[in-house]
Amino acid sequence: MGFFEKLREKPAHPLTSPQAADAWWKANEQREAAAILDATRHAIGQFLTQKASPSVSRLAALIQLDGLVNPTFEMAYLQYVQNPRMPEQLEREIWHRSVQFCETLLRAYLVFIKDSSSNNQRSEAQLPLMLARSLRYLGALNRFHYFHNQVPDKKIWATANQLYSLAEVEKRESDIIRIYPGAQKAETSCADEFIRLSMLGTVIGCGLTVRQLDLVDTWLAWLSPHVVFEHLPSTTSGQFWVDLTGFVGTTRYKGEPRAPRGRYWGMSEWLCTLMNARQHKARLPAALVESLSVTGASDLIRQLERWWSPEYDLQALRTSERVAVTGEMQVLIGLDVIAKGLPPPAQTQLEAGRGIGDRAMLDMQQYGFVTDRTKQATAKEGKVATGVTSQAECWIMTDRSERGVGLQADAKTKPLQTGTLLGVSIDGRLWEIGIIRRVMNEQSESHQFIGVELLGARAEPLIVRGGVALAPSARGQTGLLISASDNQVADQLALIVPYSAYCQGAELTVELDQRQVRFRMKETLIKGDHWLMAAADRLG
């Protein structure tokens, strides 16, 4: 009977000992990635729910299990980053599973960190590894929130600041750690991980795609040793800083009173190293060379040079020349919807001549609302709705500048992405064309805040009919024409068309106001998600 009782013996919980973690892994390693992550989260969740007392053996088991499962998590992360056009349902499944996995592992490490820092001297040797892995999971959580244009919860920043502060107190912030055996960059430190998650937060809201955010994170991971923390602010400009006792992330230092637990640093050496790395790739690790060779890496590096250089204040630029306003704005989303929803060109020109839309916009800029005087003038001149409002959504305009507008939309609607084309109008008659440059979602609120760069004051709808080197799928698709006088990007006539309709230097025939018109496509001015804006010459 003893033999059969042994067969029926329940396997030990994976956090009992490193041997139990190995046995659990051998029983699960052949499963799909999603099943492995869910099973790991469930097993660690049991430990957290039961509130079992921390021990050296359980800590060793957690470290062992995390190291075994980490390649699976990295694989799921790469699947998310490298497949921007995955089905929406799959994207949400990977996002939620990854976030829940990171949160669970972080909670488990925090249990042992608290025990180690309070009374358990036996686990003190593993403290730097626990802190570094916790900071890495905090960074992963932030990245997934950034991928959904969300502002991370203040608890994440408070936890990150406290963990790094503990590393400094224990004088272990610079200890070199092999964080995961099979990681591309296995050696790191608590300071490196803290810089990595802190600086990535400074470029949020700049319109970067998921892949671009991942590239910046990769460069920070490899080159963060070139950033040095100072305990006192420097006399040089352009420093960043963080208060380790606070619950906010990194910001530009602007002469604030010195904080006792403030840390200050500049990015000049880091930027210089990154730019030199592009020219001397032979001596670099293969993973870093690959990241520097992808399409668009050079443009992204130039952007980072601007954003992080001492002379450039990104936050000040975002808020300069804005006029706070409050009012409703009608919005058309997407090139096809805009082209089909715009009023006929003749009616647009008539209303433009009367200046009603301009009066309403001027009222919004000066007073924050449309005055009764303008409303009465509109009624007196016999204005009627053009009918496009039935296709438009109603958002709230929060601020306005010469080249852009800030909007607030319901976050319950389908999440918006940077690069989306918008048509915006106050009165439903005169429509401006813009591109979404910034989207931020407050997790605690039901709104998403959208920054729009305006491309044209007016536009005419068109239909692609033919052209040299034209893809067959482009025939019959819609587009927009923006005149040189209305173009707010360049003083040239421009066309907004799908990618498939563009070929630089080729002729394009379109139907414009029931007439066939030929254009020669020139250089690209703006690139969107599925469309581009190109300069063009009218041929007849």
Side-chain angles (χ1 to χ4, degrees):
M1 291 294 294
F3 174 77
F4 293 103
E5 289 177 358
K6 189 174 181 180
L7 288 177
R8 291 193 298 267
E9 185 178 347
K10 186 177 180 180
H13 190 278
L15 291 194
T16 304
S17 66
Q19 293 77 18
D22 285 334
W24 182 93
W25 175 248
K26 290 178 181 178
N28 289 273
E29 62 178 333
Q30 299 301 323
R31 302 174 68 183
E32 294 182 354
I36 292 175
L37 296 180
D38 289 342
T40 306
R41 182 168 54 85
H42 177 71
I44 297 177
Q46 285 182 327
F47 164 76
L48 295 171
T49 303
Q50 294 169 1
K51 297 183 178 179
S53 59
S55 66
V56 174
S57 179
R58 288 194 174 101
L59 172 58
L62 175 63
I63 291 173
Q64 178 77 354
L65 183 61
D66 185 19
L68 292 169
V69 177
N70 181 259
T72 305
F73 171 71
E74 292 294 335
M75 183 173 64
Y77 174 80
L78 286 176
Q79 180 185 3
Y80 186 95
V81 170
Q82 296 179 355
N83 292 277
R85 299 187 186 279
M86 73 179 81
E88 184 177 346
Q89 180 63 28
L90 176 61
E91 184 272 336
R92 290 193 171 276
E93 286 179 4
I94 297 176
W95 191 92
H96 284 289
R97 179 175 292 111
S98 300
V99 167
Q100 291 171 351
F101 178 83
C102 293
E103 289 174 342
T104 302
L105 267 294
L106 176 62
R107 288 172 55 206
Y109 276 117
L110 290 178
V111 169
F112 288 99
I113 290 172
K114 182 178 179 181
D115 177 70
S116 175
S117 60
S118 59
N119 54 25
N120 193 341
Q121 300 297 322
R122 293 175 298 173
S123 61
E124 185 177 356
Q126 299 289 4
L127 182 61
L129 178 60
M130 290 189 289
L131 290 172
R133 286 190 176 183
S134 298
L135 288 168
R136 179 160 293 193
Y137 277 122
L138 285 168
L141 276 174
N142 273 4
R143 289 199 300 278
F144 276 105
H145 287 308
Y146 298 153
F147 295 161
H148 270 199
N149 301 306
Q150 294 176 346
V151 178
D153 193 281
K154 291 181 179 180
K155 291 181 180 178
I156 292 181
W157 290 119
T159 303
N161 294 340
Q162 291 168 6
L163 290 176
Y164 180 72
S165 181
L166 176 60
E168 284 195 341
V169 169
E170 298 292 336
K171 302 186 185 304
R172 310 299 293 271
E173 73 275 14
S174 299
D175 287 6
I176 302 301
I177 306 158
R178 288 189 63 83
I179 191 165
Y180 289 108
Q184 286 185 336
K185 185 179 183 298
E187 293 187 349
T188 185
S189 68
C190 293
D192 291 344
E193 296 298 321
F194 188 67
I195 279 291
R196 179 180 176 182
L197 73 91
S198 296
M199 287 308 299
L200 189 63
T202 64
V203 299
I204 302 310
C206 296
L208 299 184
T209 64
V210 169
R211 183 63 179 131
Q212 288 174 323
L213 285 170
D214 179 65
L215 277 177
V216 176
D217 180 69
T218 299
W219 297 335
L220 285 168
W222 281 101
L223 303 177
S224 53
H226 293 276
V227 179
V228 179
F229 281 140
E230 302 288 348
H231 289 230
L232 296 173
S234 170
T235 55
T236 59
S237 61
Q239 279 193 312
F240 294 88
W241 83 293
V242 64
D243 184 356
L244 297 180
T245 64
F247 47 83
V248 295
T250 296
T251 58
R252 281 278 191 178
Y253 178 67
K254 300 179 180 178
E256 294 89 345
R258 176 183 173 272
R261 297 291 295 164
R263 295 297 177 265
Y264 309 83
W265 66 93
M267 294 298 290
S268 297
E269 182 181 343
W270 187 94
L271 289 167
C272 182
T273 304
L274 179 64
M275 288 183 284
N276 288 338
R278 293 179 54 235
Q279 301 173 1
H280 305 90
K281 296 180 181 178
R283 293 173 288 177
L284 299 177
L288 181 56
V289 171
E290 181 182 356
S291 69
L292 291 169
S293 303
V294 301
T295 304
S298 298
D299 292 337
L300 182 57
I301 291 173
R302 283 193 289 270
Q303 289 288 78
L304 290 178
E305 185 182 7
R306 290 178 59 233
W307 295 336
W308 289 349
S309 66
E311 299 79 15
Y312 195 86
D313 191 340
L314 182 60
Q315 184 62 32
L317 182 68
R318 289 175 182 164
T319 57
S320 64
E321 300 182 358
R322 291 187 185 178
V323 178
V325 296
T326 302
E328 292 186 348
M329 178 163 274
Q330 297 181 48
V331 180
L332 295 170
I333 305 174
L335 176 57
D336 190 58
V337 174
I338 296 170
K340 294 178 180 178
L342 290 178
Q347 187 172 356
T348 303
Q349 293 172 4
L350 176 62
E351 294 180 354
R354 292 177 177 175
I356 296 299
D358 293 336
R359 288 186 219 167
M361 186 62 69
L362 184 60
D363 283 352
M364 292 296 295
Q365 292 180 358
Q366 291 184 340
Y367 311 116
F369 57 90
V370 180
T371 62
D372 290 338
R373 179 181 57 194
T374 298
K375 292 179 181 178
Q376 292 170 1
T378 303
K380 184 176 180 180
E381 296 189 22
K383 295 293 182 177
V384 294
T386 61
V388 300
T389 53
S390 61
Q391 300 177 0
E393 297 185 14
C394 188
W395 295 357
I396 302 298
M397 181 163 58
T398 58
D399 57 72
R400 172 89 191 200
S401 66
E402 183 180 355
R403 287 291 309 278
V405 60
L407 301 171
Q408 176 181 305
D410 189 348
K412 295 180 181 179
T413 60
K414 183 179 179 180
L416 294 162
Q417 300 294 328
T418 56
T420 301
L421 192 69
L422 296 183
V424 295
S425 174
I426 291 178
D427 56 7
R429 298 175 179 86
L430 295 180
W431 290 83
E432 296 177 284
I433 308 301
I435 178 177
I436 295 181
R437 290 300 195 189
R438 179 170 49 87
V439 182
M440 294 302 292
N441 296 332
E442 292 284 353
Q443 295 185 63
S444 58
E445 299 183 15
S446 59
H447 303 291
Q448 46 190 342
F449 300 91
I450 299 147
V452 179
E453 177 190 357
L454 296 176
L455 308 179
R458 296 180 184 87
E460 295 183 52
L462 60 83
I463 301 175
V464 176
R465 292 305 184 192
V468 179
L470 183 69
S473 60
R475 298 181 188 275
Q477 293 199 44
T478 55
L480 298 171
L481 169 69
I482 299 178
S483 67
S485 60
D486 291 325
N487 191 340
Q488 295 183 250
V489 178
D491 295 328
Q492 315 178 60
L493 183 145
L495 298 179
I496 297 179
V497 293
Y499 281 137
S500 57
Y502 176 73
C503 180
Q504 185 171 353
E507 290 187 14
L508 183 70
T509 302
V510 305
E511 181 180 325
L512 186 67
D513 194 20
Q514 299 182 347
R515 293 177 291 109
Q516 298 282 329
V517 183
R518 292 184 301 114
F519 295 91
R520 185 176 301 280
M521 307 294 286
K522 298 167 62 178
E523 70 276 9
T524 301
L525 302 176
I526 298 287
K527 286 186 177 180
D529 51 359
H530 306 291
W531 57 271
L532 57 81
M533 178 179 180
D537 289 329
R538 187 164 182 163
L539 303 178

